[in-house]
Amino acid sequence: MADVTGVAIGRDSTGDPGDSMRGVTGREPVMAMAMTKRGTSYESSSSGFDLPVDSEHKARRIKLLSVAKPHMRAFHLSWFSFFCSQFATFAATPLIPIIRDNLDMDSKDLGNAAVASVTGTIFARLLMGSLCDSIGPRFGHAFLMLLTAPATFSMAAVDNATGFIICRMCIGFSLGVFVATQFWASVMFNGKIVGVACGATAGWGNSGGGLTQFIMPLIFALFSMAGAPDFAAWRYVFFVPGVLQVFAAYLILEFSQDLPDGQYAQLRKTGQKVKEKGHRVLITGLSNYRTWCLVATYAFSFGIELTMNNILSPYFFDRFNLDITSAGMLASIFGIINIYARAGGGIFSDMAARRWGMRGRLWTLFVLMMVQGVFMILFGRMSSLTPAVIVMVVFASFSEFASGSTFGIVPYISRRGLGIVSGCVGAGGNAGSAIVQAIFFTNNPVPTQDGISIVGIVVMVAALFVLPIYFPQWGSMLFPADRRPTSTEEEYYAGEYSADERSQHLHARVLPFAANARSERGSSFNDLLALEKDASAPAGSNQEVRRGDAPGGDVDAASKGLGALEMVREEAESRRSSFAVERAEAPGGSEAGARGGFSGGSKASGGLSPAANNESEQVHGRSDFAEELRRHSLEISPT
């Protein structure tokens, strides 16, 4: 590795700023190789964490059997809390045949109750995004669970349709913890595994909506066998989900923390976390059009799952003449599939990203939603039970795959407004469910089976909203990335801050994330890292081994690899030259002028000292690409 001890921070070996350091003044310890208090790098040590971490202390692995603080404890507590909210929200659904007779409700009342159960959550999820950004996911989880638990207990006392609808709406607010669950996973786990982390926590939580379809009838049966009348037994069972909500809130408040480095309040006191301006964060999240594209797709992936949770048990009960327990058991399959399907969507997204980058994530979401739509149409056409169940399993799997895949993209939409983006997308799922239920499954405007097939067509149309999503640094489904030097991860995320905020160096906090996000360029980027490592090795060592390991000692293969490496070096040289020209043409030759006001210019950093200039001359000609990656992106390892 080149000796860069004399080069000013924020500049490469020739004295120019590397791409990954655009906007850095040299006064912030934001590099991936910044030193911990123990004097070791984040890359070489976990700094006391149970899991290997990156420069932001985000875990780079998931250890399912661990409950170690902070990463895996947040992982398990977040999905358990969301599980309890799902369990409580849909606890009434499998008992509808009993409840409707007791409260003398008609189909209109039942439809309004189903819509109410997911409508209130729209506002809760929008609010939860702001709460996560301001007070942290831990309090967001606990407060919402404690606030909605009384409504769950109150179900035992309702005596008319109005009371039932109000209770279901209030309980539904608890689904807002989904946003805190996804936010928590996003700040605890590295970008390479964020898809599966978000998918697993959401999927295992969503399974509560399925298991309640099976468990609540069993608990009801136990009370009935114990001698309780049916119209009393269904009321007693609601104490179970209420207690679970309170228990989940206690565990989160007592045993978890907001971020890898500690609680929000603690980090603000020590100056390690600066409180963001709420209105700026809100504007950042809402003004990004990509947020609204994912709102549309999530409305018809997760939104469809919520709709099915509300209608499947009565659908099986009425269409196939099943008893309440059998109908509930079959309906529970849709939610239980979340145990593998939601995480599977995240895994598919992460796998596609390793090969094709962000474009792979977008294509994955598009394909999954298209297949979901096809099988939803088929499910509505099934007139016999066995084929209907088989098609439902496939339809449910792809619906949940698509939901998980969506949140493989969400963390990259905005770093500054992550909570707002998560809240909006999460609320989109509930909004979609409310709209679908209001139009197709309230007042029975069309037979339920026809409504299901029609919504399947709408799902396929909604998948088209993936097409407009474009990232300058990564591209879109149909178009490649912008090749201009300014189209980098650093420029994209630092661009969420105003010129005044950048002059105060507030944007520096997003630069480590931007460096990690380079993995969204795809396998070619990671392959080039490996090539660069080989090329920088002492002669006769790694390069010779690689050539000898090639099939038949294929020297041509090694030559091609080194040729690709030369292309990368030429591109890095071209970028540096282009930037030098822009800087020269800018007023005063300042970098800030060349970048349209980004801080980190020559004046801001005080320029290069004579010693730094001499050092720069000594290392001139060495690969600035290699130095930049080694110093700022070591957590992105070849795959």
Side-chain angles (χ1 to χ4, degrees):
M1 177 182 290
D3 182 9
V4 292
T5 54
V7 182
I9 296 175
R11 298 176 179 272
D12 62 21
S13 58
T14 64
D16 291 324
D19 287 337
S20 70
M21 295 301 290
R22 290 179 182 271
V24 180
T25 65
R27 293 195 284 264
E28 308 85 18
V30 300
M31 297 181 292
M33 289 296 290
M35 304 303 285
T36 66
K37 291 182 181 179
R38 297 184 181 185
T40 57
S41 73
Y42 298 144
E43 179 69 19
S44 61
S45 169
S46 294
S47 303
F49 294 108
D50 184 60
L51 299 173
V53 297
D54 63 13
S55 60
E56 297 178 280
H57 288 171
K58 292 183 179 182
R60 300 176 63 188
R61 280 199 301 116
I62 296 175
K63 195 156 67 173
L64 291 179
L65 298 183
S66 170
V67 290
K69 197 173 183 180
H71 304 98
M72 292 312 303
R73 188 168 300 179
F75 177 93
H76 288 299
L77 288 178
S78 64
W79 77 254
F80 178 69
S81 174
F82 186 39
F83 175 94
C84 293
S85 73
Q86 285 271 344
F87 192 94
T89 299
F90 298 105
T93 303
L95 303 176
I96 286 296
I98 305 298
I99 298 174
R100 70 185 176 190
D101 292 339
N102 186 192
L103 302 182
D104 194 24
M105 293 188 292
D106 56 24
S107 61
K108 181 179 179 180
D109 294 326
L110 294 174
N112 289 335
V115 172
S117 69
V118 295
T119 302
T121 315
I122 297 173
F123 306 105
R125 292 191 171 191
L126 290 173
L127 178 62
M128 183 59 70
S130 298
L131 288 177
C132 286
D133 284 325
S134 57
I135 65 174
R138 175 171 157 266
F139 281 138
H141 264 282
F143 287 171
L144 199 52
M145 296 298 278
L146 291 175
L147 286 172
T148 55
T152 307
F153 291 123
S154 296
M155 284 289 282
V158 298
D159 58 3
N160 56 49
T162 301
F164 180 74
I165 293 171
I166 292 174
C167 281
R168 287 215 66 188
M169 182 179 70
C170 293
I171 297 170
F173 275 94
S174 68
L175 292 180
V177 300
F178 164 78
V179 175
T181 297
Q182 300 299 272
F183 183 95
W184 220 350
S186 297
V187 298
M188 284 290 182
F189 294 93
N190 177 267
K192 285 190 174 183
I193 59 172
V194 72
V196 65
C198 287
T201 53
W204 296 357
N206 277 334
S207 66
L211 285 173
T212 194
Q213 310 274 347
F214 171 64
I215 294 175
M216 290 297 279
L218 290 181
I219 300 174
F220 169 79
L222 289 176
F223 278 110
S224 294
M225 288 188 293
D230 286 355
F231 287 177
W234 75 262
R235 299 172 184 275
Y236 300 153
V237 298
F238 276 93
F239 284 94
V240 174
V243 170
L244 283 176
Q245 286 179 288
V246 174
F247 181 59
Y250 167 76
L251 290 178
I252 286 175
L253 286 175
E254 187 68 21
F255 299 109
S256 66
Q257 67 185 47
D258 293 306
L259 298 171
D261 295 317
Q263 311 291 15
Y264 266 41
Q266 169 194 348
L267 295 175
R268 282 172 178 157
K269 285 181 181 178
T270 60
Q272 297 179 61
K273 181 174 178 60
V274 179
K275 188 173 183 178
E276 287 273 16
K277 298 177 181 178
H279 70 283
R280 290 294 308 169
V281 174
L282 181 66
I283 292 172
T284 298
L286 296 181
S287 62
N288 194 318
Y289 82 93
R290 301 169 191 84
T291 299
W292 301 106
C293 291
L294 291 183
V295 166
T297 61
Y298 202 62
F300 292 96
S301 53
F302 181 65
I304 299 304
E305 179 185 344
L306 291 179
T307 301
M308 293 298 110
N309 283 342
N310 267 327
I311 71 170
L312 273 182
S313 186
Y315 176 68
F316 280 120
F317 182 86
D318 295 328
R319 181 167 173 77
F320 299 106
N321 299 314
L322 301 179
D323 60 73
I324 185 173
T325 303
S326 299
M329 289 179 63
L330 290 177
S332 71
I333 295 174
F334 202 102
I336 294 173
I337 286 174
N338 271 293
I339 292 175
Y340 73 85
R342 182 89 184 215
I347 292 172
F348 292 152
S349 182
D350 288 344
M351 289 174 60
R354 282 194 287 270
R355 182 68 175 86
W356 298 287
M358 178 55 69
R359 300 181 73 185
R361 292 190 189 273
L362 296 173
W363 270 105
T364 298
L365 175 57
F366 177 79
V367 172
L368 292 175
M369 286 195 69
M370 282 294 183
V371 178
Q372 171 197 344
V374 169
F375 278 92
M376 190 172 185
I377 294 170
L378 292 176
F379 177 59
R381 300 298 90 205
M382 297 294 105
S383 57
S384 56
L385 183 60
T386 301
V389 172
I390 293 173
V391 173
M392 182 193 71
V393 169
V394 179
F395 153 46
S397 296
F398 278 90
S399 175
E400 290 152 21
F401 285 154
S403 297
S405 178
T406 299
F407 272 84
I409 300 170
V410 165
Y412 297 100
I413 298 295
S414 170
R415 179 57 178 169
R416 188 181 194 184
L418 174 61
I420 299 298
V421 174
S422 297
C424 288
V425 176
N430 290 82
S433 178
I435 292 170
V436 167
Q437 291 184 70
I439 294 176
F440 297 103
F441 305 114
T442 301
N443 296 326
N444 298 322
V446 295
T448 302
Q449 60 269 26
D450 293 339
I452 291 173
S453 293
I454 294 172
V455 175
I457 297 173
V458 178
V459 169
M460 298 177 73
V461 173
L464 299 176
F465 280 93
V466 182
L467 293 173
I469 299 177
Y470 177 82
F471 294 89
Q473 69 275 30
W474 301 318
S476 67
M477 281 179 60
L478 303 180
F479 299 100
D482 190 331
R483 300 293 294 174
R484 287 178 294 184
T486 55
S487 297
T488 64
E489 291 80 0
E490 290 79 2
E491 296 284 353
Y492 178 82
Y493 293 109
E496 296 180 332
Y497 293 82
S498 66
D500 180 60
E501 290 172 323
R502 291 196 296 271
S503 69
Q504 300 174 49
H505 320 304
L506 298 181
H507 66 293
R509 70 191 68 170
V510 304
L511 296 180
F513 176 82
N516 292 333
R518 287 182 161 212
S519 61
E520 294 304 303
R521 298 180 184 183
S523 62
S524 58
F525 176 69
N526 289 324
D527 290 345
L528 291 172
L529 283 177
L531 288 170
E532 181 69 30
K533 180 178 180 180
D534 288 345
S536 61
S541 58
N542 285 355
Q543 293 180 28
E544 296 301 325
V545 172
R546 294 280 287 222
R547 291 174 184 173
D549 287 345
D554 189 354
V555 178
D556 290 338
S559 299
K560 288 178 182 178
L562 294 175
L565 177 60
E566 288 303 318
M567 292 176 63
V568 175
R569 285 175 169 161
E570 289 173 9
E571 180 182 353
E573 180 65 31
S574 174
R575 282 193 172 204
R576 186 171 61 244
S577 299
S578 298
F579 185 82
V581 171
E582 292 175 7
R583 184 175 57 183
E585 292 176 351
S590 73
E591 299 159 15
R595 287 198 301 272
F598 265 68
S599 66
S602 57
K603 293 182 180 179
S605 62
L608 283 172
S609 64
N613 281 321
N614 291 337
E615 184 67 25
S616 178
E617 291 174 3
Q618 293 175 17
V619 299
H620 182 70
R622 301 183 185 182
S623 173
D624 64 311
F625 179 80
E627 292 301 317
E628 184 180 331
L629 292 176
R630 286 196 187 95
R631 288 186 290 151
H632 312 304
S633 302
L634 277 178
E635 62 274 17
I636 306 175
S637 60
T639 54

